[in-house]
Amino acid sequence: MRSNHVETSHSSQPYVHWFRHSAPYINAHRNKTMVLMFAGEAILDANFKNIIHDIALLHSLGIRLVLVYGARPQINTHLQQKGINSPFHGSHRITTRESLDCVIHAVGAIRLQIEALLSMGLANSPMHGARIDTVSGNFVTAKPYGIRDGIDFQLTGEIRNLDIEAMQQHLNHHNILLLGPIGYSTTGEIFNVLAEEVATKAAIALQADKLIFLGNQQGLMDEHGKLIRELSPQQLDQQIDKYRDSNPDIALYLHNAKHACLQGIHRVHLLSYHYDGALLEELFTRDGIGTMISDAHYEDIRMAQIDDVGGLMNLLRPLEQQGILVYRSRERLENEIEQFAVIERDGTILACAALYPIPTGSGETLQSAEIACVAVHPSYRKSNRGSQILHFLEQKAAQQGIAQLFVLTTRTAHWFIEHGFHTASVDDLPAARQAMYNFQRNSMVFKKLISSSPL
């Protein structure tokens, strides 16, 4: 029975304080994509049901979830029961045709187990009233891992492709995607693949906001046994060497974390599957509970400076030689450097774009500008850096009172359409820009209206 006494001045309940302070994180994570990977050991842990409850909570808060599960101990159990030897070389199992049946049974059983747990709706349980649709399927195309170090890995595979369009459609319908360590070839073969690779490739392809590994320890520890809360990708090599022999699972997570960060995933988290509430504490508190790998402090979007001209030339010359961009001399780049924005990390220009205001002619009421020279370093073109720098310049244009942006391109029409630009014609260009149009180049014209906000 509830007490009739009402405390009006303050509340002593810790969850009230926590809930209020978690609101900014709830808002920030809504409609964001997160890829969560947990090994087969996590599924066997007593805390796994709590993890499932937390996953259901994340889903109810509007987070788009991709769950990737491993199955190593479960596969080993099936192999032992049948007396089959399936050794490892490095982090990969040598999957024979004889052992593949055990892989299929273990992976399938885990999928059914997870789907059953996500279907619980019992009264007086954290899942009460939850409506969760999970989807799994042949999203992963694989190819043979091949012969490495003279060893034939047979039906062990590596990822060739992911059906990202289908995955996005399911996420858009508020389904949870469930992926296991299985891939399929175009000829109908089944391959045993690394769950860590599935999670990492999925995060990169989906441009996920976070990639989360639930491992067997809280995170990374320093030499004094204290938790390392944050690292940059550049600091991971030493940690990989440290854990390679003592904890190869963590080393594998770190290897994939580094790859993910270099491909545009800005936050990778290492958490413990033993710790009840690790997901919630990591995502909805300021300090978190595990280790976060982030490039946020080592990569910056900013307006270009004269010292960036050399880096810009290195980035632009290959695209100019291919005819994708118009040639700009060093002298021109130096004169126009204030129009450029760059993404720079550790002295390397990873991406650039320029914003050129267009003079307003008589009878023209809207202030206009042209976005030009959008380029991304070849090693980072599958990341979202092009989108980041375009958004940066759109905000800069809005601050300058510019109401419409134009783009002229010969190769990247679909990319600009995906970013809100609409097909236009040369006649739609302001008079000052029409006069400079190169009919020999025959660029397509695109236009986008933006909300201006004066400085």
Side-chain angles (χ1 to χ4, degrees):
M1 182 175 179
R2 292 180 181 269
S3 169
N4 291 324
H5 174 72
V6 178
E7 184 75 45
T8 57
S9 61
H10 70 278
S11 172
S12 60
Q13 299 295 333
Y15 72 84
V16 174
H17 174 83
W18 180 86
F19 195 67
R20 286 171 178 163
H21 284 78
S22 67
Y25 300 100
I26 294 173
N27 292 327
H29 296 328
R30 186 177 293 115
N31 296 322
K32 298 298 176 63
T33 300
M34 299 185 189
V35 178
L36 173 62
M37 187 265 156
F38 42 86
E41 289 82 358
I43 300 165
L44 299 174
D45 192 80
N47 189 49
F48 188 65
K49 284 190 176 181
N50 293 326
I51 294 173
I52 290 291
H53 295 156
D54 291 345
I55 288 171
L57 178 56
L58 298 182
H59 178 263
S60 72
L61 293 174
I63 296 174
R64 296 152 54 97
L65 291 171
V66 180
L67 309 182
V68 182
Y69 61 90
R72 182 171 294 183
Q74 291 86 346
I75 294 172
N76 288 340
T77 298
H78 279 266
L79 291 169
Q80 291 171 4
Q81 291 173 350
K82 292 195 172 185
I84 299 173
N85 182 35
S86 182
F88 281 83
H89 182 72
S91 57
H92 289 76
R93 185 190 299 275
I94 301 170
T95 310
T96 63
R97 291 201 174 275
E98 185 184 28
S99 63
L100 182 63
D101 188 58
C102 295
V103 173
I104 294 171
H105 278 81
V107 171
I110 292 173
R111 177 177 65 83
L112 294 174
Q113 178 186 354
I114 295 172
E115 289 177 349
L117 289 172
L118 285 170
S119 299
M120 289 191 306
L122 299 176
N124 301 319
S125 79
M127 299 285 289
H128 179 60
R131 170 62 183 175
I132 301 175
D133 293 322
T134 59
V135 177
S136 57
N138 57 341
F139 301 112
V140 180
T141 302
K143 61 182 179 180
Y145 191 63
I147 299 173
R148 310 284 180 102
D149 300 326
I151 296 173
D152 185 356
F153 283 83
Q154 301 184 52
L155 292 175
T156 296
E158 59 182 341
I159 295 176
R160 182 176 184 176
N161 195 24
L162 292 167
D163 190 350
I164 295 302
E165 182 178 352
M167 294 169 68
Q168 288 281 21
Q169 287 177 357
H170 288 296
L171 290 172
N172 291 341
H173 285 90
H174 205 46
N175 297 324
I176 291 180
L177 282 179
L178 186 58
L179 306 178
I182 288 288
Y184 306 89
S185 75
T186 54
T187 57
E189 288 186 293
I190 298 174
F191 290 101
N192 178 19
V193 298
L194 285 176
E196 293 83 359
E197 184 188 5
V198 174
T200 303
K201 293 290 181 67
I204 294 169
L206 291 167
Q207 296 185 4
D209 297 272
K210 291 181 182 292
L211 171 60
I212 302 170
F213 291 109
L214 284 174
N216 58 10
Q217 65 181 49
Q218 184 177 353
L220 304 180
M221 304 295 169
D222 63 16
E223 61 273 16
H224 304 295
K226 294 184 64 177
L227 178 68
I228 300 173
R229 294 194 174 274
E230 187 171 348
L231 284 173
S232 74
Q234 292 77 13
Q235 295 173 299
L236 287 182
D237 287 338
Q238 183 179 358
Q239 296 291 333
I240 293 172
D241 291 338
K242 171 184 173 181
Y243 285 100
R244 183 171 283 114
D245 295 327
S246 62
N247 196 330
D249 290 341
I250 294 293
L252 187 58
Y253 293 157
L254 295 177
H255 173 78
N256 283 280
K258 180 179 179 181
H259 177 63
C261 285
L262 294 178
Q263 294 298 320
I265 306 302
H266 295 298
R267 299 286 188 274
V268 180
H269 301 258
L270 301 180
L271 308 175
S272 169
Y273 57 73
H274 300 295
Y275 186 93
D276 185 13
L279 277 171
L280 303 183
E281 286 199 42
E282 183 70 8
L283 295 176
F284 299 110
T285 64
R286 180 178 299 170
D287 296 327
I289 194 65
T291 297
M292 180 175 70
I293 297 131
S294 168
D295 63 357
H297 300 302
Y298 295 85
E299 187 170 307
D300 187 35
I301 304 179
R302 57 175 174 79
M303 298 307 293
Q305 303 168 357
I306 193 67
D307 293 341
D308 297 319
V309 170
L312 284 172
M313 291 178 64
N314 291 334
L315 184 62
L316 298 177
R317 286 296 177 262
L319 298 174
E320 292 169 350
Q321 292 167 1
Q322 297 172 46
I324 297 174
L325 296 179
V326 175
Y327 172 76
R328 286 170 170 78
S329 65
R330 173 181 280 274
E331 181 179 3
R332 181 179 174 184
L333 285 173
E334 290 176 350
N335 291 333
E336 298 178 352
I337 194 65
E338 292 180 358
Q339 314 300 333
F340 278 81
V342 297
I343 297 179
E344 179 264 341
R345 187 173 68 195
D346 292 337
T348 300
I349 303 297
L350 303 185
C352 73
L355 178 69
Y356 293 99
I358 302 173
T360 303
S362 60
E364 295 175 348
T365 58
L366 297 179
Q367 285 189 274
S368 306
E370 179 183 356
I371 297 282
C373 217
V374 180
V376 179
H377 191 283
S379 298
Y380 299 91
R381 283 178 187 160
K382 291 186 178 180
S383 68
N384 62 348
R385 288 175 176 83
S387 302
Q388 290 176 24
I389 203 162
L390 178 63
H391 181 65
F392 177 82
L393 284 183
E394 287 180 358
Q395 290 182 317
K396 185 70 66 175
Q399 291 172 354
Q400 295 174 9
I402 291 167
Q404 57 182 355
L405 293 174
F406 289 90
V407 168
L408 281 71
T409 182
T410 59
R411 305 279 187 93
T412 54
H414 284 90
W415 187 83
F416 284 105
I417 290 172
E418 291 169 0
H419 287 79
F421 284 80
H422 301 280
T423 304
S425 67
V426 176
D427 294 336
D428 293 317
L429 290 169
R433 185 63 183 88
Q434 282 190 43
M436 299 172 58
Y437 183 82
N438 185 341
F439 285 91
Q440 185 176 0
R441 186 169 170 82
N442 195 30
S443 299
M444 292 175 283
V445 180
F446 294 90
K447 175 177 150 182
K448 182 177 184 179
L449 297 177
I450 60 173
S451 300
S452 55
S453 54
L455 290 168

